[in-house]
Amino acid sequence: METKTAKILDGKALAAKIHQELSSRIRESQAKIGRPPGLAVLMVGDNPASAAYVRNKERACAKVGIASFGKHFQAETTQKELEEVIAALNQDEQVDGILVQLPLPDHLDAVTLLHQIDPDKDADGLHPVNLGRLVRGEAGLRSCTPAGVMRLLQEYEIPLKGKQAVVVGRSILVGKPMALMLLEADATVTIAHSRSQDLSAITKNADILIAAAGRPGLITADMVKPGAVVVDVGMNRITDASGNSRLVGDVDLESTAGVAEFITPVPGGVGPMTVALLLENTVTSYFRKVGS
């Protein structure tokens, strides 16, 4: 008997397509506007994973024609210094998007810093004003990872209206905004988390299953409804016995691919979409500001 295997939701390919679209929009408008869009990424300390993410974002900016105003601070930088930098960037006409790369050193308060960012320059879409706009169904900058998931589902013409969607994870970064976006698309949404009783019984009801708990291999084949769409938001670095490290998701891809109809790989699924939507938020802010 032939073994069925899930179709891949290719975030890498879709991200490349979005990059191309943004690049041509910027090229067409830049002469008229007189400057490119600008993104400022603030990084504090020398966390190697953060440094890799920031490099990746800056490369992506260069590819589409967004100017990078990256600032790298010593680990001992104070809260006040960072707040002053954000205040200056809020006023800077060249800068359309601002984001603070997490995690920050322990002595800094990330939430307070986020609150200092002008909501219309909030490239990550995480400011309370933008989350409030999402709750109310109003236009605003959307949280990049869940917005990237929605775009991926749209690209593959996966119907959401009236479907049972389960989001595993309730973080403000992914789980909560993800649930709101699915609700906005007329799905029936359940949010499950580490304290949910009988997680498997909940996930087996899902036509659309979004795993965003940050626990490697949490979702196994027996937890997935046959023919479901499985989106793996997890990004977990694990090290094997011989010291080699690799990136895995929250879903056991190998077993689950035999049950699901569509699945996202890790890496190459949601990750590239997060960066693409970050660039898109910056460009949206740019066009809104210049009124074109």
Side-chain angles (χ1 to χ4, degrees), residues 18-228:
I18 292 169
H19 288 172
Q20 275 181 324
E21 287 164 6
L22 292 175
S23 182
S24 54
R25 280 177 69 196
I26 292 165
R27 252 198 327 273
E28 284 162 22
S29 311
Q30 196 172 323
K32 190 169 64 177
I33 292 164
R35 67 170 183 87
L39 174 65
V41 180
L42 309 185
M43 182 181 149
V44 184
D46 49 12
N47 178 313
S50 291
Y53 287 138
V54 170
R55 272 197 307 276
N56 190 8
K57 286 165 185 169
E58 287 173 349
R59 270 201 301 267
C61 280
K63 201 184 293 179
V64 303
I66 293 173
S68 281
F69 294 91
K71 293 178 186 286
H72 187 178
F73 301 90
Q74 297 299 317
E76 53 279 2
T77 301
T78 67
Q79 183 88 11
K80 186 171 183 295
E81 284 172 289
L82 288 171
E83 287 180 9
E84 284 168 1
V85 168
I86 290 170
L89 291 169
N90 284 339
Q91 300 303 315
D92 189 335
E93 290 296 316
Q94 306 292 308
V95 174
D96 304 287
I98 304 168
L99 84 88
V100 177
Q101 181 67 44
L102 302 176
L104 292 172
D106 291 343
H107 68 284
L108 296 169
D109 180 350
V111 174
T112 305
L113 289 175
L114 174 65
H115 287 193
Q116 307 291 321
I117 296 172
D118 175 347
D120 292 330
K121 291 191 177 189
D122 166 34
D124 254 344
L126 294 173
H127 191 284
V129 167
N130 285 321
L131 290 169
R133 287 169 178 161
L134 171 59
V135 171
R136 294 178 58 86
E138 296 171 359
L141 298 173
R142 298 291 192 241
S143 180
C144 302
T145 300
V149 170
M150 294 302 286
R151 186 68 70 83
L152 202 47
L153 295 173
Q154 184 189 337
E155 177 74 7
Y156 284 85
E157 297 179 348
I158 290 163
L160 298 175
K161 196 171 286 211
K163 297 291 185 183
Q164 295 286 340
V166 173
V167 180
V168 183
R170 53 180 167 177
S171 74
I172 202 71
L173 282 173
V174 181
K176 286 174 184 166
M178 186 81 252
L180 288 163
M181 289 178 199
L182 289 162
L183 202 54
E184 199 172 34
D186 296 325
T188 301
V189 183
T190 303
I191 303 178
H193 45 81
S194 58
R195 302 258 158 77
S196 297
Q197 290 183 0
D198 199 355
L199 183 59
S200 178
I202 300 168
T203 58
K204 275 180 112 149
N205 277 326
D207 302 308
I208 318 284
L209 177 58
I210 316 278
R215 287 170 60 190
L218 173 68
I219 305 295
T220 50
D222 58 341
M223 298 169 75
V224 175
K225 178 181 182 176

Side-chain angles (χ1 to χ4, degrees), residues 246-257:
R246 62 193 174 97
L247 211 54
V248 299
D250 288 358
V251 176
D252 176 21
L253 182 67
E254 213 168 299
S255 67
T256 308

